[in-house]
Amino acid sequence: NVGVAVDELGARGLASLTAGVVSAAPSAELDALASSASDDARRAVASCLLGSGFNPDPWAFARAAELFVLAGAFDEADAAVSSALKAGGDPQVSAEIASRWFDVVAPIGGAGGLELRVKAAQRSLFLGEAADAQRWCESAATLDPNNATISLLMGRALIQLGDLVAARVCLAKAEANAAAGDAELAARVAAERAEVSYLGGELEEAAGHAMRAADIAVTPRTRLAARGTLGKILLARGSWELADEHFAEDALAASSTGEITAELRARLNRAIALLSKGRLDEARTLLDRVLADGTRLREERARAYALSNLGLVAYRQHDYGAALQYWEQTVNFPQALRGRLATALTIGNLADLRLRLGLVDHAEHAIAFGKKLLSGSAPPRCSALFKWVSAQIALARGNTDLARREVESALVDAQASGERDYLESAHIVAARVALEDGDLARVGLALDHAEQIAKSPRAQAEIAIIRAAHLRAMGQPALDSANEALQVARKSGEEDLLSEIHSLLATLHRDAGDVLAAQAHCCRAIAVRDQVAGGLPPDIRAAFLAKPEIVALSRLQSSLAHETDAEEEAPRTQRVVARSESNPAREMVGDDPAIRSLAIAIKKVAKSNSTVLIRGESGTGKELVADALHRASDRAAGPLVSVNCAALVETLLLSELFGHEKGAFTGASARRRGRFEMAEGGTLFLDEIGDISPRTQVALLRVLQEKTFERVGGTAPIRANVRVVCATHRDLRAMVERGEFREDLYYRLRGITLEVPALRARLGDLPKIADHLLARIGVERNEEPKQLSSDALELFSRHRWPGNIRELENVLRAVSLFADGNVITATDVIDNVDDLRAIAQAGPGPTSQGPISLRSASLPPPSVREPVSSASSVDAEDDEGEGLLPEDEANATAVAYAQVRQGAVSLSDIKRQIERDCIARALAETKGNITRAAALLGMKRPRLSQLVKQYSLSAASSEGNS
């Protein structure tokens, strides 16, 4: 036959086929050769394409199907296109093959054409491609309008598409046109009508149809399908015990009749009944058995749904790492999940869980894959889910404009889909976005909409928490509301919400001056955080601990640990501090030349009233420098007022700094003094000045220039007798070049600049700093201060301390709590601090040579940020370039390998971070000129431009002046 084919089609045609030149658009020459050949030749070449000796790609199978159709071999053609769709790993390829197959079959009439259409519709339903199935049924109906089987298939397609009204019409037509003696077809129609009624919430009608289908069914498969609906009705009614017994009977019946698929489905449904009763361990055991049997029997659908439900069990047991693994495995069975729609929904849920665990990039990739999977034809429920998650991703990245657009679109799609869960979730995210924007009126409106439809415990808890935060943002009493939210959150059992409400309560109590209550709630939030983090793999744990809200919680813990007094005049998120020389609880310690120079500079600068800018990495003690400046100044008798500019949105920060008049905005029920007024005659410390908005920059510049300001909503100028001290870890000069910070304000602030060295740049001071911190910890705990052993100090000296002194203090607090006796040994450190354990496992590095007092050499500029340790509660920063490279290349390799070996970070992540930092440095050096930066980096300009967009870096829009 192959010889005949070569003779008739010609050597060139067959050579082209066997060489793999089979694409979505075959050559005209090949089509011409095929059309002129005999049926035997077409069958021969099609068989060659399907043979193992030739290209087995999906397009080869699709081309073989076309040749079989031309030869009139319809059964072989249908089998070939089925193989093509199974071989198409790329969803887009499968969609193109299905579309092309429809074009091939559309001109074919008669019984053969009808059979091809019916088989294609059945295959599309099996794969979950309901829209394709509907198109095939419509095409088949043109050949036989009153065919009951076609009407039944159309009804099933419409059920999957969610159009229950049209599905009822089609199933009624199928019932009317079914042959009088065809009991099996009548039973199948009744089973589908039961499903429609069940989905529509008409449980009594659904039960009637299902019982009729079970009574008249000829095959065990149809009878078990009808009983499956009866079991689901029991679940919907909350009859867990009856549902458990019902599905147990179905499993036995299916086993006795050899219906393997039905047996596995019944056991899966029984596990769901156990899960609904809260018997999670039993459900997990049963699902594990279904997964094992499904794997052994190659029942992919059973495996997929077992994995999906195992993920749900793990999630309810707060085993988020396992839940993530189960759901990621589920996505590997797209066809078993009934195609693109169900797979896309699973991907959306997976993206949501990834986002909750801090895997923002992974969540974004999952959403992108889901959108590609649907090829631009996402139904409203999928679209609502994707946009809801996308809004949360944008919010996590701080892009509230994009988050607002995504959530508004999600609301439209959720309304169209009629999915109440998606609608309530979209309103909640809308409230969070508005709260982040400081649009308090929009927050209240979104919460009102969400409250009207919220039914799930999680949604109710989330609304209560945001409601309390909303009251606080408006300056109204929020403690009672927050306590009510705590009770609702406890009922929901959602750990992330418990952590959030305890954090909010800690902040509210601190605002009210009750530091002990604030510390108690902060400890509970930390306990929830540690419980979640402890159940995660190392790489996911690092991402979870780096979430902005988790970092903020660590900062709150550190702040409360240091707080010894709080003025009644500071009822909000910051505090007013009036320190004196008699309170040495927090002071700069060390003999390093950089510290001695800083101390001398402080004494010189303190006597003037000039604005001072303090620069240094997070955790270096910039607030201590501000404190020292104030105490050494002529304003020491006045107050020192601190404001963390990064902690408040623009509208709240303006009110916080300048105060407001009664009625200035919603919730402004009385006049309120701002921090400038509170600091009258003293010092105002503005921490994280690089994070203020352009509008706040203008207002601050005016105060610095004119020494006057007005309250928000007021017109009367108020004189400001205040010395302003600012601090930042950001590169303000680079921000000016990027247009993110006003140049005139920058030059106003940088008149006097004090640099605070990083801890790793003065390791010789580490013993003194550690002793000072341990002494303070001992006083706080009313116990004898502990000391570090020499081996512990040696281990400390090999750490890079990305979190600086704050990280050191957190480590000492954790280790001293668990250490036995008054001496902290290296063993105590290794047992309780992950990062230092990894360094110990990596062995001694170059920095461990020589006395500790000599190891304070200067280091290269910032580049690679080290991972955050769960034990040390290090503050992570969003700014690029935190952390420093080790002192030499060998030690850099040792530290990197230790982190990779520990599982805290992957090698690819390290490579991406280094690539991003190098590009950022090159752009900074060339002032955003991509062409010159590409030359510096030794790469092509188009590739660099692509990477700049990928890493969201800033480059000059025009290079004409470079």
Side-chain angles (χ1 to χ4, degrees), residues 443-501:
V443 175
L445 189 62
L447 287 176
D448 290 341
H449 286 310
E451 211 161 35
Q452 291 173 7
I453 59 174
K455 286 190 175 181
S456 69
R458 178 180 177 87
Q460 292 170 349
E462 208 166 354
I463 291 168
I465 293 171
I466 301 173
R467 184 76 74 184
H470 183 216
L471 289 174
R472 175 176 179 266
M474 292 191 298
Q476 298 180 9
L479 260 177
D480 290 342
S481 178
N483 282 319
E484 293 174 4
L486 176 59
Q487 300 306 317
V488 181
R490 282 173 175 164
K491 292 179 182 178
S492 75
E494 298 284 353
E495 291 178 319
D496 59 327
L497 299 184
L498 280 171
S499 179
E500 182 179 2
I501 186 58

Side-chain angles (χ1 to χ4, degrees), residues 759 762-770 793 796-797 801 808 852:
L759 177 56
R762 57 184 188 109
L763 287 176
D765 285 340
L766 197 149
K768 287 187 176 182
I769 297 173
L793 275 172
F796 273 30
S797 71
W801 300 108
L808 173 62
I852 188 169

